[in-house]
Structures are given as C-alpha cells and as structure tokens.
Coordinates of all heavy atoms in Angstrom, one line a residue:
M1 N 9.5 -6.5 -19.0 CA 8.9 -7.7 -18.4 C 9.7 -8.9 -18.7 O 10.7 -8.9 -19.5 CB 7.5 -7.9 -18.9 CG 6.6 -6.8 -18.4 SD 6.3 -6.6 -16.6 CE 5.2 -7.9 -16.3
G2 N 9.3 -10.0 -18.3 CA 9.9 -11.3 -18.6 C 10.9 -11.7 -17.5 O 11.2 -12.9 -17.4
S3 N 11.2 -10.8 -16.5 CA 12.1 -11.1 -15.5 C 11.3 -11.7 -14.4 O 10.2 -11.2 -14.1 CB 12.9 -9.9 -14.9 OG 12.1 -9.0 -14.5
V4 N 11.7 -12.8 -13.7 CA 11.1 -13.4 -12.7 C 11.7 -12.9 -11.3 O 12.9 -13.0 -11.2 CB 11.1 -15.0 -12.7 CG1 10.4 -15.5 -11.6 CG2 10.4 -15.4 -14.0
H5 N 10.9 -12.5 -10.4 CA 11.4 -12.2 -9.1 C 10.5 -12.6 -7.9 O 9.4 -12.7 -8.1 CB 11.9 -10.8 -8.9 CG 10.7 -9.8 -9.3 ND1 11.0 -8.4 -9.4 CD2 9.5 -10.0 -9.4 CE1 9.8 -7.9 -9.7 NE2 8.8 -8.9 -9.6
V6 N 11.1 -12.8 -6.8 CA 10.3 -13.2 -5.6 C 9.6 -12.0 -5.0 O 10.2 -11.0 -4.8 CB 11.1 -14.0 -4.7 CG1 10.2 -14.4 -3.4 CG2 11.7 -15.3 -5.2
V7 N 8.3 -12.1 -4.8 CA 7.5 -11.0 -4.2 C 7.1 -11.5 -2.8 O 6.6 -12.4 -2.6 CB 6.3 -10.7 -5.0 CG1 5.5 -9.6 -4.4 CG2 6.7 -10.4 -6.4
A8 N 7.7 -10.6 -1.8 CA 7.3 -10.8 -0.4 C 5.8 -10.8 -0.2 O 5.1 -10.1 -0.9 CB 7.9 -9.8 0.5
R9 N 5.4 -11.6 0.7 CA 3.8 -11.7 1.1 C 3.3 -10.3 1.5 O 2.2 -10.0 1.4 CB 3.6 -12.7 2.0 CG 3.8 -14.1 1.4 CD 3.2 -15.1 2.5 NE 3.4 -16.4 1.8 CZ 2.8 -17.6 2.3 NH1 2.1 -17.5 3.3 NH2 2.9 -18.7 1.7
S10 N 4.2 -9.6 2.2 CA 3.9 -8.2 2.7 C 3.9 -7.1 1.6 O 3.5 -6.0 1.8 CB 4.7 -7.8 3.9 OG 6.0 -7.7 3.4
A11 N 4.4 -7.5 0.5 CA 4.5 -6.5 -0.6 C 3.2 -5.8 -0.9 O 2.2 -6.5 -1.0 CB 5.1 -7.1 -1.9
G12 N 3.2 -4.5 -1.1 CA 2.1 -3.9 -1.5 C 1.2 -3.3 -0.2 O 0.2 -2.8 -0.3
R13 N 1.7 -3.7 1.0 CA 1.0 -3.4 2.1 C 1.7 -2.6 3.1 O 1.3 -1.7 3.7 CB 0.5 -4.6 2.8 CG -0.5 -4.4 3.8 CD -1.2 -5.7 4.2 NE -2.4 -5.8 3.4 CZ -3.3 -6.8 3.6 NH1 -3.1 -7.7 4.4 NH2 -4.3 -7.0 2.9
K14 N 3.1 -3.0 3.2 CA 4.0 -2.2 4.1 C 5.3 -2.3 3.6 O 5.6 -2.7 2.5 CB 3.9 -2.8 5.5 CG 4.2 -4.3 5.6 CD 3.7 -4.8 6.9 CE 3.8 -6.4 6.9 NZ 3.3 -7.0 8.1
G15 N 6.3 -1.6 4.4 CA 7.7 -1.8 4.0 C 8.0 -0.4 3.4 O 7.3 0.5 3.1
R16 N 9.4 -0.2 3.2 CA 9.9 1.1 2.7 C 9.3 1.4 1.2 O 9.0 2.6 1.0 CB 11.5 1.2 2.8 CG 12.1 2.4 2.5 CD 13.3 2.7 3.1 NE 14.1 1.3 3.3 CZ 15.2 1.1 2.7 NH1 15.8 2.0 1.9 NH2 15.9 0.0 2.9
R17 N 9.4 0.5 0.4 CA 9.0 0.7 -1.0 C 7.5 1.1 -1.0 O 7.2 1.8 -1.8 CB 9.3 -0.6 -1.7 CG 10.7 -0.8 -2.0 CD 10.9 -2.1 -3.0 NE 10.3 -1.9 -4.3 CZ 9.7 -2.7 -5.1 NH1 9.4 -3.9 -4.6 NH2 9.2 -2.4 -6.3
H18 N 6.7 0.4 -0.1 CA 5.4 0.7 -0.2 C 5.1 2.1 0.3 O 4.3 2.8 -0.3 CB 4.6 -0.4 0.6 CG 3.1 -0.1 0.7 ND1 2.4 -0.1 -0.6 CD2 2.2 0.2 1.6 CE1 1.1 0.1 -0.2 NE2 1.0 0.4 1.0
R19 N 5.7 2.5 1.3 CA 5.6 3.9 1.9 C 6.1 4.9 0.8 O 5.3 6.0 0.6 CB 6.4 4.2 3.2 CG 5.8 3.5 4.5 CD 6.3 4.2 5.7 NE 7.7 3.9 5.8 CZ 8.2 2.7 6.4 NH1 7.3 1.9 6.7 NH2 9.5 2.5 6.5
R20 N 7.2 4.6 0.1 CA 7.7 5.5 -1.0 C 6.6 5.5 -2.1 O 6.3 6.6 -2.5 CB 8.9 4.8 -1.4 CG 9.6 5.6 -2.5 CD 10.1 7.0 -2.2 NE 9.8 7.8 -3.2 CZ 10.7 8.9 -3.5 NH1 11.7 9.2 -2.9 NH2 10.4 9.6 -4.5
A21 N 6.0 4.5 -2.4 CA 5.0 4.5 -3.6 C 3.8 5.2 -3.2 O 3.2 5.9 -4.0 CB 4.6 2.9 -3.7
K22 N 3.5 5.3 -1.8 CA 2.3 6.0 -1.4 C 2.6 7.4 -1.5 O 1.7 8.2 -2.0 CB 1.9 5.6 0.0 CG 0.6 6.0 0.5 CD 0.2 5.2 1.7 CE -1.2 5.6 2.2 NZ -1.6 5.0 3.4
V23 N 3.8 7.9 -1.2 CA 4.2 9.3 -1.2 C 4.2 9.6 -2.7 O 3.6 10.7 -3.0 CB 5.5 9.5 -0.6 CG1 6.0 10.9 -0.9 CG2 5.5 9.2 0.9
D24 N 4.7 8.9 -3.6 CA 4.8 9.2 -5.0 C 3.3 9.3 -5.6 O 3.0 10.2 -6.3 CB 5.5 8.1 -5.8 CG 6.9 8.2 -5.5 OD1 7.5 9.3 -4.8 OD2 7.7 7.3 -5.9
L25 N 2.5 8.5 -5.0 CA 1.1 8.4 -5.7 C 0.3 9.8 -5.3 O -0.3 10.4 -6.0 CB 0.3 7.2 -5.2 CG -1.1 7.2 -5.6 CD1 -1.2 6.7 -7.1 CD2 -1.9 6.2 -4.8
Q26 N 0.5 10.0 -4.0 CA -0.2 11.3 -3.4 C 0.4 12.5 -4.2 O -0.4 13.4 -4.3 CB 0.0 11.3 -1.9 CG -0.8 10.3 -1.2 CD -0.4 10.2 0.3 OE1 0.5 10.9 0.7 NE2 -1.1 9.4 1.0
A27 N 1.7 12.4 -4.5 CA 2.2 13.7 -5.3 C 1.7 13.7 -6.7 O 1.4 14.8 -7.2 CB 3.8 13.5 -5.2
A28 N 1.3 12.6 -7.2 CA 0.8 12.5 -8.6 C -0.7 12.8 -8.7 O -1.1 13.5 -9.5 CB 1.1 11.1 -9.3
T29 N -1.4 12.3 -7.7 CA -2.9 12.4 -7.8 C -3.6 12.2 -6.5 O -3.2 11.2 -5.7 CB -3.6 11.6 -8.9 OG1 -4.9 11.9 -8.8 CG2 -3.3 10.1 -8.7
T30 N -4.6 12.9 -6.1 CA -5.4 12.4 -5.0 C -6.8 12.4 -5.4 O -7.8 12.5 -4.6 CB -5.3 13.5 -3.8 OG1 -5.7 14.8 -4.3 CG2 -3.8 13.5 -3.2
T31 N -7.1 12.1 -6.7 CA -8.4 11.9 -7.2 C -8.8 10.4 -7.1 O -8.0 9.6 -7.7 CB -8.5 12.5 -8.6 OG1 -8.2 13.8 -8.6 CG2 -9.9 12.2 -9.2
C32 N -9.8 10.1 -6.4 CA -10.2 8.7 -6.2 C -10.5 8.0 -7.6 O -11.4 8.6 -8.2 CB -11.4 8.7 -5.3 SG -12.1 7.1 -5.0
W33 N -10.0 7.0 -7.8 CA -10.3 6.3 -9.1 C -11.6 5.6 -9.0 O -12.2 5.1 -10.1 CB -9.2 5.3 -9.4 CG -9.1 4.0 -8.6 CD1 -8.8 3.9 -7.3 CD2 -9.5 2.6 -9.0 NE1 -8.9 2.4 -7.0 CE2 -9.4 1.7 -8.1 CE3 -9.9 2.2 -10.4 CZ2 -9.5 0.4 -8.1 CZ3 -10.1 0.8 -10.4 CH2 -9.9 -0.1 -9.4
L34 N -12.2 5.5 -7.8 CA -13.5 4.6 -7.7 C -14.6 5.6 -7.8 O -15.6 5.3 -8.4 CB -13.4 3.9 -6.4 CG -12.5 2.9 -6.3 CD1 -12.3 2.3 -4.8 CD2 -12.9 1.6 -7.1
C35 N -14.6 6.8 -7.2 CA -15.8 7.8 -7.3 C -15.4 9.0 -8.0 O -16.3 9.8 -8.4 CB -16.2 8.1 -5.9 SG -15.2 9.3 -4.9
G36 N -14.1 9.3 -8.3 CA -13.7 10.4 -9.1 C -13.7 11.7 -8.4 O -13.4 12.8 -9.0
H37 N -13.8 11.8 -7.1 CA -13.7 12.9 -6.2 C -12.3 13.1 -5.6 O -11.5 12.1 -5.7 CB -14.7 12.8 -5.1 CG -16.0 12.8 -5.6 ND1 -17.0 12.0 -5.0 CD2 -16.7 13.6 -6.4 CE1 -18.1 12.1 -5.6 NE2 -18.0 13.1 -6.6
G38 N -11.9 14.3 -5.2 CA -10.6 14.5 -4.8 C -10.4 14.1 -3.2 O -11.4 13.6 -2.7
G39 N -9.1 14.4 -2.8 CA -9.0 14.1 -1.3 C -8.8 12.6 -1.0 O -9.0 12.3 0.1
A40 N -8.3 11.8 -1.9 CA -8.1 10.4 -1.7 C -6.6 10.3 -1.4 O -5.7 10.4 -2.2 CB -8.5 9.7 -2.9
Y41 N -6.3 9.7 -0.1 CA -4.9 9.6 0.3 C -4.6 8.1 0.5 O -3.4 7.9 1.0 CB -4.7 10.4 1.5 CG -4.9 11.8 1.3 CD1 -6.0 12.5 1.7 CD2 -3.9 12.6 0.6 CE1 -6.2 13.9 1.4 CE2 -4.0 14.0 0.3 CZ -5.2 14.6 0.7 OH -5.5 15.9 0.5
E42 N -5.5 7.2 0.2 CA -5.1 5.8 0.4 C -4.6 5.3 -0.9 O -5.1 5.7 -2.0 CB -6.3 5.0 0.8 CG -6.9 5.4 2.2 CD -6.4 4.5 3.2 OE1 -6.4 3.4 3.2 OE2 -5.9 5.1 4.2
L43 N -3.7 4.3 -0.9 CA -3.2 3.6 -2.0 C -4.0 2.3 -2.2 O -4.0 1.5 -1.4 CB -1.7 3.3 -1.8 CG -0.9 2.8 -3.1 CD1 0.5 3.1 -2.9 CD2 -1.2 1.4 -3.4
D44 N -4.6 2.3 -3.4 CA -5.4 1.2 -3.8 C -4.7 0.4 -5.0 O -3.9 1.1 -5.6 CB -6.7 1.5 -4.3 CG -7.7 0.4 -4.2 OD1 -7.4 -0.7 -3.5 OD2 -8.8 0.4 -4.8
H45 N -5.0 -0.9 -5.1 CA -4.3 -1.5 -6.3 C -5.3 -2.0 -7.3 O -6.4 -2.3 -7.0 CB -3.5 -2.9 -5.7 CG -2.5 -2.6 -4.8 ND1 -2.6 -2.5 -3.5 CD2 -1.2 -2.4 -5.0 CE1 -1.5 -2.1 -2.8 NE2 -0.5 -2.2 -3.8
D46 N -4.9 -1.8 -8.6 CA -5.7 -2.3 -9.6 C -4.9 -2.9 -10.8 O -4.0 -2.2 -11.3 CB -6.5 -1.0 -10.3 CG -7.3 -1.4 -11.6 OD1 -7.9 -2.6 -11.4 OD2 -7.3 -0.7 -12.5
P47 N -4.9 -4.1 -11.0 CA -5.9 -5.2 -10.3 C -5.5 -5.4 -8.9 O -4.6 -4.8 -8.3 CB -5.5 -6.5 -11.1 CG -4.2 -6.3 -11.7 CD -4.0 -4.9 -11.9
P48 N -6.4 -5.9 -8.0 CA -6.2 -6.1 -6.6 C -4.9 -6.7 -6.2 O -4.4 -7.6 -6.9 CB -7.4 -6.9 -6.1 CG -8.5 -6.8 -7.1 CD -7.6 -6.5 -8.5
R49 N -4.4 -6.4 -5.0 CA -3.0 -6.8 -4.5 C -3.1 -8.4 -4.6 O -2.1 -9.0 -5.0 CB -2.9 -6.3 -3.1 CG -1.5 -6.3 -2.6 CD -1.6 -5.9 -1.2 NE -1.9 -6.9 -0.3 CZ -1.2 -7.8 0.2 NH1 0.1 -7.7 0.1 NH2 -1.6 -8.8 0.9
K50 N -4.2 -8.9 -4.2 CA -4.2 -10.5 -4.1 C -4.0 -11.1 -5.5 O -3.3 -12.0 -5.7 CB -5.7 -10.8 -3.7 CG -5.6 -12.0 -2.6 CD -7.1 -12.2 -2.3 CE -7.6 -11.3 -1.2 NZ -9.0 -11.5 -0.8
V51 N -4.5 -10.4 -6.5 CA -4.4 -10.8 -7.9 C -3.0 -10.7 -8.3 O -2.4 -11.5 -9.0 CB -5.5 -10.1 -8.8 CG1 -5.2 -10.6 -10.3 CG2 -6.9 -10.4 -8.4
L52 N -2.4 -9.5 -8.1 CA -1.1 -9.2 -8.5 C -0.1 -10.3 -7.9 O 0.9 -10.8 -8.5 CB -0.6 -7.9 -8.0 CG -1.2 -6.7 -8.7 CD1 -1.0 -5.4 -7.9 CD2 -0.9 -6.6 -10.2
L53 N -0.3 -10.6 -6.6 CA 0.6 -11.6 -5.9 C 0.4 -12.9 -6.5 O 1.4 -13.8 -6.8 CB 0.3 -11.8 -4.4 CG 0.6 -10.6 -3.6 CD1 0.2 -10.8 -2.2 CD2 2.2 -10.3 -3.7
R54 N -0.8 -13.4 -6.9 CA -1.1 -14.6 -7.5 C -0.4 -14.7 -9.0 O 0.0 -15.7 -9.3 CB -2.7 -14.8 -7.7 CG -3.1 -16.2 -7.9 CD -4.5 -16.5 -8.0 NE -5.2 -15.9 -6.8 CZ -6.4 -15.2 -6.9 NH1 -7.0 -15.1 -8.0 NH2 -7.0 -14.9 -5.8
L55 N -0.4 -13.5 -9.7 CA 0.3 -13.5 -10.9 C 1.8 -13.4 -10.9 O 2.4 -13.4 -11.9 CB -0.4 -12.4 -11.7 CG -1.9 -12.5 -12.1 CD1 -2.4 -11.2 -12.8 CD2 -2.1 -13.7 -12.9
G56 N 2.2 -13.2 -9.6 CA 3.8 -13.0 -9.5 C 4.2 -11.6 -10.0 O 5.3 -11.4 -10.2
L57 N 3.2 -10.7 -9.9 CA 3.5 -9.4 -10.2 C 3.8 -8.6 -9.0 O 3.4 -8.9 -7.9 CB 2.3 -8.6 -10.9 CG 2.0 -9.3 -12.4 CD1 0.7 -8.8 -13.0 CD2 3.3 -9.0 -13.3
D58 N 4.6 -7.5 -9.0 CA 5.0 -6.6 -7.9 C 3.9 -5.7 -7.6 O 3.6 -4.6 -8.2 CB 6.3 -5.9 -8.3 CG 6.9 -5.1 -7.1 OD1 6.2 -5.3 -6.0 OD2 7.9 -4.5 -7.3
P59 N 3.3 -5.8 -6.4 CA 2.2 -4.9 -6.0 C 2.8 -3.4 -5.6 O 2.0 -2.5 -5.5 CB 1.7 -5.5 -4.7 CG 2.2 -6.9 -4.6 CD 3.5 -7.0 -5.4
D60 N 4.2 -3.3 -5.5 CA 4.7 -2.1 -5.2 C 5.1 -1.3 -6.5 O 5.6 -0.3 -6.5 CB 5.9 -2.2 -4.4 CG 5.6 -2.4 -2.9 OD1 4.7 -2.0 -2.5 OD2 6.4 -3.4 -2.2
D61 N 4.7 -1.9 -7.7 CA 5.0 -1.3 -8.9 C 3.9 -0.1 -9.1 O 2.7 -0.4 -9.0 CB 4.8 -2.3 -10.1 CG 5.3 -1.7 -11.3 OD1 5.0 -0.5 -11.7 OD2 5.8 -2.5 -12.2
P62 N 4.3 1.2 -9.3 CA 3.5 2.3 -9.4 C 2.4 2.1 -10.5 O 1.4 2.7 -10.5 CB 4.4 3.4 -9.8 CG 5.8 3.0 -9.3 CD 5.7 1.5 -9.4
R63 N 2.6 1.2 -11.5 CA 1.7 1.1 -12.5 C 0.5 0.6 -12.0 O -0.7 0.8 -12.6 CB 2.2 0.0 -13.5 CG 3.2 0.5 -14.6 CD 3.7 -0.5 -15.5 NE 4.2 -1.8 -14.8 CZ 4.2 -2.9 -15.4 NH1 3.8 -3.2 -16.6 NH2 4.7 -4.0 -14.7
F64 N 0.4 -0.2 -11.0 CA -0.8 -0.8 -10.4 C -1.5 0.0 -9.2 O -2.4 -0.4 -8.6 CB -0.4 -2.2 -9.8 CG 0.3 -3.1 -10.8 CD1 1.4 -3.6 -10.5 CD2 -0.3 -3.2 -12.1 CE1 2.1 -4.5 -11.4 CE2 0.3 -4.1 -13.0 CZ 1.5 -4.6 -12.7
H65 N -1.0 1.3 -9.1 CA -1.3 2.1 -7.9 C -2.5 3.1 -8.3 O -2.3 3.7 -9.5 CB -0.2 2.8 -7.3 CG 0.7 1.9 -6.7 ND1 1.9 2.2 -6.2 CD2 0.6 0.5 -6.4 CE1 2.6 1.1 -5.6 NE2 1.8 0.1 -5.7
K66 N -3.4 3.2 -7.5 CA -4.5 4.2 -7.7 C -4.8 4.8 -6.5 O -4.7 4.2 -5.4 CB -5.8 3.5 -8.2 CG -5.7 2.6 -9.4 CD -5.8 3.4 -10.7 CE -6.0 2.5 -11.8 NZ -5.8 3.1 -13.2
A67 N -5.2 6.2 -6.5 CA -5.6 6.8 -5.3 C -7.0 6.4 -5.0 O -7.8 6.4 -5.8 CB -5.4 8.3 -5.4
A68 N -7.4 6.3 -3.7 CA -8.8 5.9 -3.3 C -9.0 6.5 -1.9 O -8.1 6.6 -1.1 CB -9.0 4.4 -3.4
H69 N -10.3 6.7 -1.6 CA -10.7 7.0 -0.2 C -10.7 5.7 0.5 O -11.1 4.7 0.0 CB -12.1 7.6 -0.3 CG -12.1 9.0 -1.0 ND1 -12.8 9.2 -2.3 CD2 -11.7 10.1 -0.8 CE1 -12.7 10.4 -2.7 NE2 -11.9 11.0 -1.7
G70 N -10.4 5.8 1.8 CA -10.4 4.7 2.7 C -10.9 5.1 4.1 O -11.3 6.2 4.3
S71 N -10.6 4.1 5.1 CA -11.1 4.4 6.5 C -10.4 5.6 7.0 O -10.9 6.4 7.9 CB -10.9 3.2 7.2 OG -9.4 2.8 7.0
S72 N -9.2 6.0 6.6 CA -8.5 7.1 7.2 C -8.8 8.4 6.4 O -8.4 9.5 6.8 CB -7.0 6.9 7.1 OG -6.5 6.8 5.8
C73 N -9.5 8.3 5.3 CA -9.9 9.5 4.5 C -11.1 9.2 3.7 O -11.1 8.9 2.5 CB -8.7 9.9 3.6 SG -8.2 8.6 2.4
R74 N -12.2 9.3 4.4 CA -13.6 9.2 3.7 C -13.7 10.3 2.7 O -13.2 11.4 2.8 CB -14.7 9.5 4.8 CG -15.3 8.2 5.3 CD -16.1 8.6 6.6 NE -16.4 7.3 7.4 CZ -17.3 6.4 7.1 NH1 -18.1 6.5 6.0 NH2 -17.4 5.3 7.8
C75 N -14.5 9.9 1.7 CA -14.8 11.0 0.6 C -15.5 12.1 1.1 O -16.7 11.8 1.7 CB -15.4 10.4 -0.5 SG -15.9 11.5 -1.9
P76 N -15.0 13.4 1.1 CA -15.9 14.4 1.6 C -17.1 14.7 0.8 O -18.0 15.4 1.3 CB -14.9 15.7 1.4 CG -13.8 15.2 0.4 CD -13.8 13.7 0.4
T77 N -17.2 14.2 -0.4 CA -18.3 14.3 -1.3 C -19.4 13.2 -1.1 O -20.6 13.5 -0.9 CB -17.9 14.4 -2.7 OG1 -16.9 15.4 -2.9 CG2 -19.1 14.9 -3.6
C78 N -19.0 12.0 -1.2 CA -20.0 10.9 -1.0 C -20.0 10.4 0.5 O -20.9 9.6 0.6 CB -19.8 9.7 -2.0 SG -18.5 9.7 -3.1
G79 N -18.9 10.7 1.2 CA -19.0 10.2 2.5 C -18.7 8.8 2.8 O -19.0 8.2 3.8
Q80 N -18.2 8.0 1.7 CA -17.9 6.7 1.9 C -16.5 6.3 1.8 O -15.6 7.2 1.4 CB -18.7 5.9 0.7 CG -18.2 6.2 -0.5 CD -18.8 5.4 -1.8 OE1 -19.7 4.6 -1.4 NE2 -18.5 5.6 -3.0
C81 N -16.0 5.2 2.4 CA -14.6 4.7 2.2 C -14.6 3.9 1.0 O -14.7 2.6 1.0 CB -14.2 3.9 3.3 SG -14.7 4.6 5.0
C82 N -14.3 4.4 0.0 CA -14.4 3.7 -1.4 C -13.7 2.4 -1.5 O -14.3 1.5 -2.1 CB -14.0 4.7 -2.6 SG -15.0 6.2 -2.7
N83 N -12.5 2.4 -1.1 CA -11.8 1.1 -1.3 C -12.3 0.1 -0.3 O -12.3 -1.2 -0.7 CB -10.3 1.2 -1.1 CG -9.7 1.4 0.2 OD1 -10.6 1.6 1.2 ND2 -8.5 1.8 0.4
Q84 N -13.0 0.3 0.7 CA -13.6 -0.7 1.5 C -15.0 -1.0 1.1 O -15.3 -2.3 1.1 CB -13.7 -0.1 3.0 CG -12.4 -0.3 3.8 CD -12.4 0.3 5.0 OE1 -13.2 1.1 5.5 NE2 -11.2 0.1 5.7
V85 N -15.7 -0.1 0.4 CA -16.9 -0.5 -0.2 C -16.7 -1.5 -1.3 O -17.3 -2.5 -1.5 CB -17.6 0.8 -0.8 CG1 -18.8 0.4 -1.7 CG2 -18.0 1.7 0.3
K86 N -15.6 -1.2 -2.1 CA -15.2 -2.1 -3.1 C -14.8 -3.4 -2.6 O -15.1 -4.5 -3.1 CB -14.1 -1.5 -3.9 CG -13.6 -2.3 -5.1 CD -12.2 -1.8 -5.6 CE -11.1 -2.3 -4.6 NZ -9.8 -2.3 -5.1
G87 N -13.9 -3.4 -1.4 CA -13.4 -4.7 -0.9 C -14.5 -5.5 -0.3 O -14.5 -6.7 -0.5
D88 N -15.5 -4.9 0.3 CA -16.6 -5.8 0.8 C -17.3 -6.4 -0.3 O -17.8 -7.6 -0.2 CB -17.7 -4.8 1.5 CG -17.2 -4.2 2.8 OD1 -16.0 -4.8 3.2 OD2 -17.7 -3.3 3.5
R89 N -17.5 -5.7 -1.4 CA -18.2 -6.3 -2.6 C -17.4 -7.5 -3.1 O -17.8 -8.6 -3.3 CB -18.4 -5.3 -3.7 CG -19.7 -5.4 -4.2 CD -19.8 -4.2 -5.3 NE -20.1 -2.9 -4.8 CZ -19.6 -1.7 -5.1 NH1 -18.7 -1.7 -6.2 NH2 -20.0 -0.6 -4.6
A90 N -16.0 -7.4 -3.2 CA -15.1 -8.4 -3.6 C -15.3 -9.6 -2.7 O -15.1 -10.7 -3.0 CB -13.8 -7.9 -3.9
A91 N -15.2 -9.3 -1.4 CA -15.2 -10.3 -0.4 C -16.5 -11.2 -0.5 O -16.5 -12.4 -0.2 CB -15.1 -9.7 1.0
R92 N -17.6 -10.6 -0.7 CA -18.9 -11.3 -0.8 C -18.8 -12.2 -2.0 O -19.4 -13.3 -1.9 CB -20.1 -10.3 -0.9 CG -20.6 -9.9 0.3 CD -22.0 -9.5 0.2 NE -22.1 -8.1 -0.4 CZ -21.8 -6.9 0.2 NH1 -21.6 -7.0 1.5 NH2 -21.8 -5.8 -0.4
R93 N -18.2 -11.8 -3.1 CA -18.1 -12.6 -4.3 C -17.4 -13.8 -4.0 O -17.6 -14.9 -4.7 CB -17.5 -11.7 -5.5 CG -18.5 -11.3 -6.4 CD -17.9 -11.2 -7.8 NE -16.7 -10.5 -7.8 CZ -16.5 -9.1 -7.8 NH1 -17.6 -8.3 -7.9 NH2 -15.3 -8.6 -7.8
S94 N -16.3 -13.8 -3.3 CA -15.3 -14.8 -3.1 C -15.0 -15.0 -1.7 O -13.9 -14.8 -1.3 CB -14.0 -14.6 -4.0 OG -13.5 -13.4 -3.6
R95 N -15.9 -15.7 -0.9 CA -15.6 -15.8 0.4 C -14.6 -16.9 0.7 O -14.0 -17.0 1.7 CB -17.0 -16.3 1.1 CG -17.7 -15.1 1.7 CD -18.7 -15.5 2.7 NE -19.6 -14.3 3.0 CZ -19.2 -13.2 3.6 NH1 -18.0 -13.1 4.1 NH2 -20.0 -12.2 4.0
M96 N -14.3 -17.8 -0.2 CA -13.5 -18.9 -0.1 C -12.0 -18.4 -0.1 O -11.1 -19.1 0.4 CB -13.7 -20.0 -1.1 CG -15.0 -20.6 -1.2 SD -15.5 -21.3 0.4 CE -14.5 -22.8 0.2
V97 N -11.8 -17.4 -0.8 CA -10.3 -16.9 -0.9 C -10.0 -16.1 0.3 O -10.5 -15.0 0.5 CB -10.2 -16.0 -2.2 CG1 -8.9 -15.6 -2.4 CG2 -10.7 -16.7 -3.4
R98 N -9.1 -16.7 1.2 CA -8.7 -15.9 2.3 C -7.5 -15.0 2.0 O -6.7 -15.4 1.1 CB -8.3 -17.0 3.4 CG -9.3 -17.9 3.8 CD -10.1 -17.5 5.1 NE -9.2 -16.8 6.2 CZ -8.5 -17.4 7.0 NH1 -8.6 -18.7 7.2 NH2 -7.8 -16.7 7.8
D99 N -7.4 -13.9 2.7 CA -6.2 -13.1 2.5 C -5.0 -13.8 3.0 O -5.1 -14.6 3.9 CB -6.4 -11.8 3.3 CG -5.4 -10.7 2.9 OD1 -4.7 -10.9 1.8 OD2 -5.3 -9.7 3.6
W100 N -3.9 -13.6 2.3 CA -2.7 -14.5 2.6 C -2.0 -14.0 3.7 O -1.2 -14.8 4.2 CB -1.8 -14.4 1.3 CG -2.3 -15.2 0.2 CD1 -3.6 -15.7 0.1 CD2 -1.8 -15.3 -1.1 NE1 -3.9 -16.3 -1.2 CE2 -2.7 -16.0 -1.9 CE3 -0.5 -15.0 -1.6 CZ2 -2.4 -16.3 -3.3 CZ3 -0.1 -15.5 -2.8 CH2 -1.1 -16.1 -3.7
N101 N -2.3 -12.9 4.3 CA -1.7 -12.5 5.5 C -2.4 -12.8 6.7 O -2.4 -12.3 7.8 CB -1.3 -10.9 5.4 CG -0.4 -10.7 4.3 OD1 0.8 -11.3 4.1 ND2 -0.6 -9.8 3.4
Ligands
LIG201 ZN1 -13.8 7.9 -3.5
LIG202 ZN1 -16.6 10.5 -3.7

C-alpha cells in the first residue's frame, strides 16, 4: 500500500480487469457471503464499491471481492437476490448519496 493511483469511475463494474476478477472469483468460490449458500455467481464488493472509490481504493482488487447471489442468479435455497436485498437496504439508509455513474 501507500501508492496512489487514479481509479476509473467504471472500475469494479465493467472492463477487462473486472471481467477477469469475476472469473477468478467464481473459480475460487461460489458460496454467497451474504446468505452462506452455494451457486452465487455475482461479484459483490466488501466494503461497497462506492466506499472503495471514495477511499481511492481499487474496486477491481480481489481482496474486496465476494461471491453473492444477484438478479442473474437467485439463491436456489432462499430464493432471493442477496446483493440486491443488501443494496436496497443501503439505499434506504442513504438516499442522498447518488451512484456516481
Ligand atoms: Zn445468497
Ligand atoms: Zn441463500
């Protein structure tokens, strides 16, 4: 750490590095970090992408990546889109904070 670099606004959401990160994550684990069930193919960020960008951290860094269920892969056990359930909750808490994209 200690090095300062510019993080693109799209970082952590799209681009070659992000696609690569998603593939690596799926190879490492498909256990949802939110509900603990398998079959999670979405890449989620912990801390959230928005927070990483605000802190000047790289959202494409695998250290911040977690597998989660999402709209494209509902949890077969709970039937929910875990990262969206979480996102809705966060959005209600901070309505003033708009997504930067
Ligand atoms: Zn889940
Ligand atoms: Zn589940």
Side-chain angles (χ1 to χ4, degrees):
M1 295 299 281
S3 66
V4 177
H5 56 191
V6 177
V7 179
R9 288 187 177 196
S10 65
R13 187 165 275 183
K14 54 193 173 189
R16 189 151 33 112
R17 286 183 70 220
H18 182 61
R19 278 199 297 277
R20 174 70 217 212
K22 200 164 173 177
V23 169
D24 285 350
L25 179 72
Q26 287 167 0
T29 180
T30 57
T31 300
C32 178
W33 75 289
L34 295 164
C35 75
H37 299 131
Y41 298 104
E42 295 268 305
L43 191 159
D44 197 19
H45 294 89
D46 178 40
R49 204 182 73 91
K50 221 181 278 180
V51 173
L52 292 171
L53 289 174
R54 201 180 300 143
L55 296 174
L57 297 169
D58 183 2
D60 285 323
D61 190 323
R63 283 183 304 159
F64 306 125
H65 294 168
K66 306 273 192 195
H69 296 109
S71 51
S72 66
C73 57
R74 265 170 196 276
C75 177
T77 311
C78 356
Q80 65 179 2
C81 309
C82 297
N83 68 6
Q84 281 173 352
V85 170
K86 184 197 70 163
D88 288 351
R89 221 176 280 143
R92 268 198 292 277
R93 254 205 318 271
S94 55
R95 267 199 195 289
M96 300 302 288
V97 183
R98 301 263 326 267
D99 195 9
W100 295 4
N101 294 309

